[in-house]
Amino acid sequence: MNFSPGSSTAQKQHVGQQPASFGAKHTPSGSTNAPQTAKAPSPGTGRLSGQGSVPFNLLATLLAAPASSMTVEEAKNLCQIPLPPLCAVCCNFDPYRAPPDHDDSEGPKSWARKEYNIPEGIPVGKISIGKSEDLIESAKRGCFYCSMVFTALGAVSPGWDSEKSFIHIFLAAGLPVCVRLQFGVTSTVVLGKEEMLGLGIELEEGQVMDFVMTVGDPNKPAIDVEIYRPQVPLDQRTVAYSVLEPLVEHVGFAEEIPGHAADEKCFDFIKEKVAHCIKEHKCGRGGPLPFLPDRVVWIEANQGTGIQLVEPKDVRAKYIALSYCWDPVTPDAYLTDASTFNQRKVGMLYVDLPPLIQDIVSCARKLGIEYVWIDRLCIIQDAAEDVHRQTPQMGEIYGNATLTILAPSASSENDRILVDRGTKWQAYGLALDINGIGSLALRFRRRTHPLGKDDTGADYGKACTRAWCWQERLLSGRTIFYTPGALKFECHCHSIWEGFGQDVTGHSWSAKLDDISHYSWTMLVEEYTSRDITPPSDRLPAVEAVMKRIERSQGWAPLWGIWSNMLVESLGWESRESKQIGMHAARMNPGRYAPTWSWASVDGHISYVSARPVEGVGSVGINQVVYDLELRKLNAASGLITVVGHVVLVEVSCRIEVDGLSATEAGEEKKLRYTYEVQGVYADASGPQGFPMKPDVALKPWSGNVNGRHISTVIRVPFGESIPEKSWTADCLCLLVSKSKLRCLVLFLGASLLESGVWERLGMVEGLHPGIFRNSQRQTINIG
């Protein structure tokens, strides 16, 4: 932003009223090269005027003097620059005057309290700009805050202004300004009390519900940019800095992020955070010097290669555990098996190790830690007995580690993590200049992680999409994440990203086990089942250590992926809907790994959204949920449960329609759309209507003999079998689980083909009127 001085003859000089422009310079962190001007088009310029109390030639000298040469008030009196008028689009980045993003005691937190640990009373704002054209026009009219946003987005996403998009600006005192650009269009539908009552939800008088609808391009994810002030040492600040600072007082500070993950500053970051946690927290279960695992890789061995597999007995020492993704195992894969076990104990050459493990050894040596635990080297991979003995110890191995390194920037052991981070994540300079007399430097960069994702165990790379890594992170006392753009440190007290300002911390996702509730457990199940796992039979083993830790801390009894003391409340899970309407997102497992009432019985992403109260709506009156189903008996070994509840026989239909063609290796194949409905339970003014049903997996009708008895029922399509291609209708049981005055949650059951008198779960629905059970009797039902 450039100022041009005006006349200097009057006692109170008019410094000038000139267009204010931005210089966006690409300055790679750690680079000694001259900054390159970013190709960020400017839509216009802002205008500011100022007045000096001394002649201009003297003013220039005083503005260039050290800030310590006068007080802030003296500096402001020396050169007065009135603040710009409030912009109706960006609110001048002022969280005190922007639309507030309030915290709701019964609903969601504000964006800032969801993301950071910030004191009570800190103002938080969120500005939603439904059409980006409004911000572009504001920048053209002269708002230099809107011009900052335009320039920043143009640098990280050239040409963004030529596409349909909308913008959110997130503000909080003391934090960088975060700008989110989303491609597409958005609109808000407001429903009042009567409309919501039609959906079975009662609002308080005057209360409304906002439903935001977004139509976007899935191939163009949102872009988050943060605008921040760099930390300027006191001895480098000038009087001009004090004069100009009020213009950006609502833009928080942040640190620079090194451009290479092997920079010494990165290792200093890790050392500092780990040392602070060991001294101030109680996150590591093993204390400052934990017992080493049964086997561990010693990287400072006193033999020829310096690296060997050892089996310590009752030895206390610091060690690092690795959490990462495996490539498919090939005959030449570097691991420990029966044929290489003795060789690994003799020694391993650094040059023979996979690239990722080489980098882990390098990290450990830089951090001064002599031992590392890596599953592919410390477990005998082809010895089932050893695998079964080591797997239950994951809680202790990761929980006792001095530090876990999680490597989401590596897709397998054949990728490195100590790499150049690339220009995508590097910062740009944004200079506010006064015609060369003085300047105020701002910076902007693409955020290294999407805003709002940290609270849900965010996806920072491939490792974060794996179920085993999900468990390893929860079990670890301290974790360092090597993400593509920055390091993240997480312990059970807080999380800190490279680039955070001084004393700024975020929440700890791994601390969820320290304050677990049934509600938060269902959220964890959703996160866990969204992760990939191979083979599917590992779905329960990969969560076993987490459930054991909860069992020890809470006294809950684990049972097939849920808790026996909250079994009825846990039955309300559903398979997440496919991204393609009418498709099946989940499928049956290759084997019977769990009873059908458990989410572990299907292979797919699970949700408990229908079993939770609606956010922002009270849970009293007609919205109050009561569980009707009673658990009478359970067999933990077989998974058979006996419940008592209201049951009705209903007709389920599946309408199957051709929805275009899809290309296959054998040519074009019909693409089918499946619509499941419950018949005879719902009617509107036009007569009886089908009510949508949510199947757990693909279903089909079945008729035949079971133990000499003929039955007709509905079953889950077994693994490997073809899904029906013709529409069908069949009867099944509808079991009431819970109800409010106008809505209920039910399960659908079909007869088991394995055991007479036993039923199996088919699907669920929430939203049916409980009146369908008006004439039903409570019955005893066995579910397997």
Side-chain angles (χ1 to χ4, degrees):
M1 182 176 290
N2 302 311
F3 271 122
S4 296
S7 169
S8 59
T9 56
Q11 178 64 30
K12 190 152 189 147
Q13 301 294 339
H14 177 66
V15 175
Q17 185 177 47
Q18 294 290 333
S21 62
F22 288 96
K25 295 182 182 294
H26 178 223
T27 22
S29 300
S31 172
T32 56
N33 298 328
Q36 298 177 350
T37 303
K39 295 179 180 179
S42 175
T45 57
R47 293 184 180 275
L48 294 172
S49 62
Q51 291 183 325
S53 59
V54 297
F56 177 71
N57 57 349
L58 178 58
L59 176 63
T61 302
L62 292 174
L63 286 172
S68 58
S69 63
M70 63 180 68
T71 66
V72 174
E73 286 303 315
E74 289 172 335
K76 290 179 179 178
N77 290 332
L78 177 70
C79 183
Q80 298 175 6
I81 300 179
L83 295 177
L86 185 68
C87 172
V89 176
C90 70
C91 298
N92 298 13
F93 296 165
D94 187 345
Y96 292 89
R97 297 196 282 181
D101 192 19
H102 292 301
D103 291 305
D104 189 337
S105 59
E106 294 186 2
K109 297 178 182 177
S110 67
W111 76 265
R113 286 186 175 81
K114 212 172 175 183
E115 193 81 6
Y116 301 100
N117 292 310
I118 59 174
E120 292 297 326
I122 293 292
V124 177
K126 179 180 176 182
I127 302 170
S128 295
I129 305 171
K131 294 181 180 179
S132 295
E133 291 93 330
D134 293 342
L135 180 134
I136 296 170
E137 289 301 316
S138 176
K140 288 179 178 178
R141 291 193 299 269
C143 174
F144 71 92
Y145 298 103
C146 287
S147 295
M148 283 189 207
V149 174
F150 183 92
T151 302
L153 293 178
V156 300
S157 181
W160 72 274
D161 52 317
S162 64
E163 301 184 56
K164 290 287 186 183
S165 61
F166 54 99
I167 294 171
H168 297 293
I169 301 177
F170 302 88
L171 307 170
L175 294 174
V177 173
C178 184
V179 179
R180 170 167 289 172
L181 171 67
Q182 289 184 260
F183 294 99
V185 295
T186 183
S187 62
T188 301
V189 176
V190 180
L191 298 184
K193 186 172 183 177
E194 289 192 12
E195 293 92 340
M196 291 301 294
L197 199 59
L199 298 176
I201 298 173
E202 184 177 40
L203 300 181
E204 295 179 6
E205 198 62 44
Q207 187 181 7
V208 297
M209 293 288 285
D210 293 344
F211 293 87
V212 179
M213 294 183 292
T214 300
V215 179
D217 185 345
N219 297 316
K220 290 190 175 181
I223 295 173
D224 286 358
V225 175
E226 57 184 7
I227 302 170
Y228 61 96
R229 284 188 280 171
Q231 298 284 359
V232 180
L234 292 176
D235 60 358
Q236 295 180 21
R237 298 183 183 183
T238 63
V239 172
Y241 183 97
S242 301
V243 171
L244 293 172
E245 193 173 30
L247 293 171
V248 291
E249 64 178 326
H250 299 300
V251 179
F253 291 95
E255 300 283 354
E256 298 308 320
I257 300 173
H260 199 289
D263 192 296
E264 286 296 329
K265 292 179 181 177
C266 297
F267 295 116
D268 290 342
F269 173 86
I270 299 172
K271 290 176 186 176
E272 177 189 333
K273 306 312 174 194
V274 171
H276 179 268
C277 179
I278 290 174
K279 181 180 178 182
E280 302 293 338
H281 307 157
K282 295 181 179 179
C283 298
R285 294 166 60 84
L289 287 177
F291 281 111
L292 293 177
D294 294 344
R295 295 191 197 97
V296 70
V297 178
W298 188 15
I299 64 169
E300 298 293 350
N302 51 10
Q303 41 77 284
T305 66
I307 305 172
Q308 67 177 140
L309 183 66
V310 295
E311 297 179 291
K313 302 296 182 184
D314 299 327
V315 176
R316 285 186 177 271
K318 293 181 178 180
Y319 71 94
I320 289 172
L322 175 62
S323 180
Y324 67 111
C325 285
W326 285 49
D327 252 353
V329 176
T330 59
D332 60 346
Y334 196 93
L335 45 74
T336 298
D337 57 20
S339 67
T340 60
F341 179 51
N342 289 328
Q343 181 185 340
R344 301 287 180 255
K345 292 200 292 183
V346 171
M348 292 173 272
L349 292 173
Y350 178 87
V351 294
D352 290 341
L353 300 174
L356 173 60
I357 297 179
Q358 288 181 357
D359 281 359
I360 295 302
V361 171
S362 298
C363 286
R365 287 174 173 168
K366 281 284 189 180
L367 299 174
I369 296 176
E370 293 190 21
Y371 300 95
V372 296
W373 187 90
I374 303 169
D375 55 1
R376 69 188 301 120
L377 299 180
C378 298
I379 299 175
I380 305 173
Q381 298 299 321
D382 59 354
E385 183 180 341
D386 194 56
V387 172
H388 293 152
R389 183 170 59 251
Q390 296 297 324
T391 300
Q393 297 183 42
M394 293 298 105
E396 284 66 40
I397 290 172
Y398 284 94
N400 292 340
T402 306
L403 178 69
T404 294
I405 292 180
L406 201 155
S409 62
S411 60
S412 74
E413 71 274 14
N414 293 310
D415 291 332
R416 294 194 176 278
I417 56 174
L418 300 180
V419 296
D420 188 285
R421 286 167 170 160
T423 57
K424 177 180 179 179
W425 308 107
Q426 291 173 339
Y428 294 81
L430 197 61
L432 174 60
D433 297 316
I434 310 180
N435 231 24
I437 297 174
S439 66
L440 186 65
L442 294 178
R443 306 275 281 174
F444 66 86
R445 63 192 174 205
R446 184 189 293 259
R447 273 181 63 93
T448 55
H449 55 292
L451 191 69
K453 294 296 185 181
D454 266 9
D455 200 43
T456 57
D459 175 6
Y460 309 128
K462 187 176 178 182
C464 292
T465 68
R466 302 295 296 169
W468 281 107
C469 293
W470 175 91
Q471 173 174 256
E472 290 155 6
R473 179 182 175 186
L474 273 175
L475 296 174
S476 299
R478 304 175 198 92
T479 304
I480 197 77
F481 300 78
Y482 274 83
T483 78
L487 297 178
K488 176 188 177 180
F489 173 81
E490 179 179 82
C491 66
H492 283 215
C493 292
H494 59 220
S495 63
I496 302 175
W497 283 87
E498 275 186 305
F500 271 12
Q502 190 174 2
D503 299 326
V504 174
T505 64
H507 302 292
S508 168
W509 179 85
S510 60
K512 289 179 181 287
L513 295 191
D514 300 336
D515 186 27
I516 197 75
S517 65
H518 183 254
Y519 182 95
S520 60
W521 170 252
T522 63
M523 300 286 284
L524 285 175
V525 169
E526 291 184 355
E527 294 171 19
Y528 175 68
T529 57
S530 70
R531 268 66 172 175
D532 300 325
I533 193 158
T534 306
S537 57
D538 277 357
R539 180 69 73 187
L540 282 177
V543 77
E544 180 183 3
V546 167
M547 297 193 78
K548 280 187 175 180
R549 185 172 291 184
I550 296 174
E551 180 183 16
R552 286 195 296 268
S553 66
Q554 302 295 324
W556 300 352
L559 182 72
W560 300 102
I562 64 176
W563 306 101
S564 62
N565 49 310
M566 291 171 283
L567 190 144
V568 171
E569 294 90 335
S570 303
L571 296 176
W573 60 269
E574 62 190 80
S575 294
R576 275 280 175 96
E577 292 185 8
S578 170
K579 293 180 180 178
Q580 293 181 292
I581 297 174
M583 299 291 111
H584 299 98
R587 64 175 186 172
M588 288 297 289
N589 288 310
R592 189 179 175 88
Y593 305 138
T596 62
W597 47 261
S598 167
W599 52 263
S601 65
V602 302
D603 182 10
H605 190 179
I606 299 307
S607 173
Y608 272 97
V609 65
S610 296
R612 298 192 192 106
V614 180
E615 284 188 349
V617 176
S619 57
V620 297
I622 70 168
N623 300 323
Q624 185 174 7
V625 174
V626 176
Y627 282 92
D628 181 81
L629 194 65
E630 297 178 46
L631 175 65
R632 289 292 175 86
K633 189 167 59 173
L634 66 85
N635 184 318
S638 68
L640 184 69
I641 61 173
T642 301
V643 297
V644 175
H646 286 92
V647 180
V648 293
L649 187 68
V650 296
E651 185 180 76
V652 171
S653 68
C654 178
R655 188 171 68 256
I656 304 174
E657 303 166 296
V658 176
D659 189 24
L661 300 173
S662 59
T664 67
E665 292 183 1
E668 290 188 333
E669 191 176 87
K670 286 188 297 184
K671 206 169 154 187
L672 301 178
R673 181 194 295 259
Y674 296 80
T675 304
Y676 294 86
E677 292 181 330
V678 192
Q679 303 298 330
V681 295
Y682 173 72
D684 59 18
S686 61
Q689 302 291 326
F691 195 92
M693 174 221 181
K694 298 179 179 179
D696 297 335
V697 294
L699 305 177
K700 71 175 186 178
W702 189 91
S703 295
N705 292 317
V706 176
N707 296 329
R709 181 181 167 211
H710 183 81
I711 62 171
S712 295
T713 188
V714 179
I715 64 170
R716 294 174 172 182
V717 175
F719 179 84
E721 289 193 13
S722 299
I723 302 174
E725 295 187 2
K726 293 183 178 180
S727 300
W728 55 266
T729 300
D731 292 340
C732 67
L733 289 188
C734 179
L735 174 66
L736 176 63
V737 177
S738 65
K739 62 180 180 178
S740 61
K741 187 174 181 180
L742 298 178
R743 303 169 69 89
C744 66
L745 187 152
V746 303
L747 299 184
F748 297 98
L749 308 174
S752 172
L753 306 187
L754 301 176
E755 190 175 354
S756 297
V758 174
W759 298 84
E760 295 186 350
R761 176 177 157 138
L762 304 172
M764 61 83 69
V765 76
E766 195 278 333
L768 279 175
H769 195 284
I772 68 170
F773 295 97
R774 187 180 300 112
N775 299 319
S776 69
Q777 300 293 318
R778 295 180 69 81
Q779 297 182 34
T780 300
I781 301 290
N782 295 314
I783 309 175

